Amino acid sequence: MPDAVRTAAVRAVLIMSLTIIQAMVAFLSTLTGSWLAFPMVLSSVASTVVATWAVLDVWVTRQVWNQRNGVVSVPSSSARQIRRERRRSRRAERAAKRDGTGGAIGGRRSTGDLSRA
């Protein structure tokens, strides 16, 4: 994950966790009938709006980063393994062909020739 997207994601997680804590305090203070209930409910609503904005910020930051820098493609180890096996089999096929024809075009080979163009 790119640094800008990681920063936005960490910020969003912190804001969301504080919003959840704030909502829980608002709920519990409402149950107890505390004077703190009404201000906490109002601030919880505001925090929910901010948390939504933070999550959207992660999404937008990710989209902008992908658009500017392209998608970073990191193949999985299984994909690497499959490619490695294909390469080995192709090399083995080429080596088998070379052994059958002597390794030269048309089966003829001259030791002093660099190319036959």
Side-chain angles (χ1 to χ4, degrees):
M1 190 180 328
D3 285 341
V5 180
R6 184 179 297 120
T7 304
V10 168
R11 183 176 35 230
V13 167
L14 289 174
I15 290 172
M16 284 175 26
S17 61
L18 287 175
T19 301
I20 291 171
I21 291 169
Q22 198 171 17
M24 186 57 71
V25 169
F27 175 72
L28 292 175
S29 60
T30 301
L31 286 179
T32 60
S34 173
W35 63 271
L36 194 60
F38 184 67
M40 286 302 288
V41 168
L42 288 180
S43 65
S44 291
V45 170
S47 292
T48 303
V49 171
V50 172
T52 305
W53 186 266
V55 171
L56 283 174
D57 180 45
V58 173
W59 183 69
V60 169
T61 304
R62 183 174 166 274
Q63 295 296 325
V64 168
W65 194 92
N66 283 340
Q67 190 174 17
R68 286 185 183 160
N69 302 308
V71 177
V72 176
S73 177
V74 179
S76 67
S77 60
S78 61
R80 254 186 245 124
Q81 183 65 28
I82 291 170
R83 269 202 322 266
R84 216 175 276 138
E85 289 171 6
R86 277 192 211 137
R87 263 189 251 125
R88 282 185 194 133
S89 66
R90 274 188 257 139
R91 284 183 194 138
E93 287 173 13
R94 279 184 278 181
K97 282 183 184 178
R98 257 187 267 130
D99 291 342
T101 61
I105 299 171
R108 297 178 307 236
R109 184 164 195 137
S110 173
T111 56
D113 293 344
L114 291 178
S115 78
R116 300 202 64 111

